Amino acid sequence: MPSCDGCRNGTGLDFDLKIAFQPIFDCEADAPFAYEALVRGPHGESARWVLDQIHDGNRYAFDQECRVAAIRAAVAAGLLDGPAKLSINFMPNAVYSPQACIQLTLKTASETGLPTDRLIFEFTENEQVDTAHARDIIDAYAALGFATAVDDFGAGYSGLGLLANLKTDIIKLDMELIRGIDVSEPRRQIVRATVSLLREMGRVVVAEGIETASELEVLRDLGVRYVQGFHIAKPMLGAFPPVDLGRDRLGRAAAA
């Protein structure tokens, strides 16, 4: 098994992780496309509380534990009963060697019966990373059958340059672009142009942070197929939250 000094050094976590799930909904299929695994503290504390406990010494252990906990919790919640994928956030700066640091993930997926093509790995544009290192991770994950995604696109360091340098499968539009899009013509123009560009590049677009029916309606009109946010479903600890938007609210005719 590949290994590296970075993987062996450092400390473990001194607290337990729990996982909540939030669906990424496919408006055309009228079903969840994937469930995003969201880290929580031992008593349900927020992701921010958890991240405040992370430092250079335990970053690798945290990243590894998040992957294991997400896979095991998703399978326990019934992921294998349907076609939806599992989306896991990861820290590129915690991946010292893509081939070495992925071994525990592969082992856990094999033990739980989860095919690798059911896994998506998200990294946030808000984390500043070396582009060449991120490209190596994305290429290695693609070779293993994983999909990759950029989270919070439009809110971080790299902007459009990231699209030119990193070929992830999925781009998740940051909620600041989505918030109030139903009453903001500039936001609609930006999202319309971004969706058109990403479609030409062969990327899947997810709009996240949707909180109202009118935001969802505008995004559907702009051609966004995949959506996520409190209006779709709030995260649920250890289980997959139900989604019941109704056919009319998805912009389609009601069944006769």
Side-chain angles (χ1 to χ4, degrees), residues 109-128:
S110 176
E111 289 175 349
T112 57
L114 180 62
T116 57
D117 63 3
R118 298 278 296 274
L119 284 169
I120 302 167
F121 285 97
E122 300 185 21
F123 72 93
T124 178
E125 193 190 351
N126 286 316
E127 183 181 6
Q128 193 166 17

Side-chain angles (χ1 to χ4, degrees), residues 4-9 54-67 89-102 123 127-130 133-134 137 141:
C4 63
D5 291 338
C7 304
R8 291 190 294 266
N9 296 334
I54 306 308
H55 48 78
D56 289 345
N58 65 9
R59 183 171 287 107
Y60 171 78
F62 169 68
D63 185 69
Q64 292 287 302
E65 181 59 29
C66 283
R67 297 162 182 250
N89 292 278
F90 79 100
M91 292 180 162
N93 290 330
V95 177
Y96 302 98
S97 162
Q99 291 76 20
C101 297
I102 199 62
F123 72 93
E127 183 181 6
Q128 193 166 17
V129 297
D130 176 77
H133 180 56
I137 296 172
Y141 284 11

Side-chain angles (χ1 to χ4, degrees), residues 9-10 50 61 78 100 104 107 110 134 170 175 185 212 217:
N9 296 334
V50 175
L104 183 58
K107 181 176 182 289
S110 176
I170 299 166
M175 65 176 63
E185 180 59 28
T212 69
E217 182 179 359

Side-chain angles (χ1 to χ4, degrees), residues 10-31:
T11 62
L13 297 182
D14 58 2
F15 61 93
D16 293 327
L17 296 178
K18 293 188 181 298
I19 301 294
F21 296 101
Q22 187 178 38
I24 300 170
F25 196 76
D26 182 344
C27 293
E28 291 187 13
D30 199 11

Side-chain angles (χ1 to χ4, degrees), residues 150 153 158-168 171 194 197-198 201 203:
V150 171
F153 179 74
S158 304
L160 293 176
L162 181 144
L163 296 181
N165 293 313
L166 302 178
K167 187 171 174 50
T168 61
I171 304 292
T194 303
L197 172 64
L198 293 173
M201 298 179 74
R203 313 293 182 91

Side-chain angles (χ1 to χ4, degrees), residues 36-233:
E36 181 178 357
L38 303 168
V39 68
R40 297 290 185 264
H43 304 292
E45 294 93 340
S46 69
R48 174 47 54 195
W49 180 91
V50 175
L51 291 174
D52 284 344
Q53 318 306 311
I54 306 308
H55 48 78
D56 289 345
N58 65 9
R59 183 171 287 107
Y60 171 78
F62 169 68
D63 185 69
Q64 292 287 302
E65 181 59 29
C66 283
R67 297 162 182 250
V68 171
I71 292 172
R72 294 197 181 282
V75 171
L79 185 71
L80 299 180
D81 296 336
K85 300 176 183 291
L86 173 64
S87 189
I88 301 173
N89 292 278
F90 79 100
M91 292 180 162
N93 290 330
V95 177
Y96 302 98
S97 162
Q99 291 76 20
C101 297
I102 199 62
Q103 295 303 314
L104 183 58
T105 303
L106 293 173
K107 181 176 182 289
T108 306
S110 176
E111 289 175 349
T112 57
L114 180 62
T116 57
D117 63 3
R118 298 278 296 274
L119 284 169
I120 302 167
F121 285 97
E122 300 185 21
F123 72 93
T124 178
E125 193 190 351
N126 286 316
E127 183 181 6
Q128 193 166 17
V129 297
D130 176 77
T131 299
H133 180 56
R135 187 186 300 115
D136 287 345
I137 296 172
I138 291 167
D139 291 346
Y141 284 11
L144 291 167
F146 303 140
T148 53
V150 171
D151 196 11
D152 302 324
F153 179 74
Y157 292 99
S158 304
L160 293 176
L162 181 144
L163 296 181
N165 293 313
L166 302 178
K167 187 171 174 50
T168 61
D169 304 283
I170 299 166
I171 304 292
K172 300 182 74 175
L173 303 182
D174 184 71
M175 65 176 63
E176 289 303 316
L177 288 175
I178 305 306
R179 186 71 65 251
I181 194 172
D182 52 323
V183 295
S184 171
E185 180 59 28
R187 280 180 167 76
R188 289 194 293 274
Q189 291 173 340
I190 291 169
V191 171
R192 182 184 295 111
T194 303
V195 169
S196 177
L197 172 64
L198 293 173
R199 184 177 291 123
E200 288 185 16
M201 298 179 74
R203 313 293 182 91
V204 172
V205 181
V206 176
E208 56 184 350
I210 298 167
E211 292 192 348
T212 69
S214 54
E215 288 173 352
L216 176 60
E217 182 179 359
V218 168
L219 290 163
R220 290 283 292 151
D221 290 343
L222 293 175
V224 176
R225 175 175 176 175
Y226 300 99
V227 293
Q228 184 178 9
F230 280 11
H231 179 67
I232 313 303

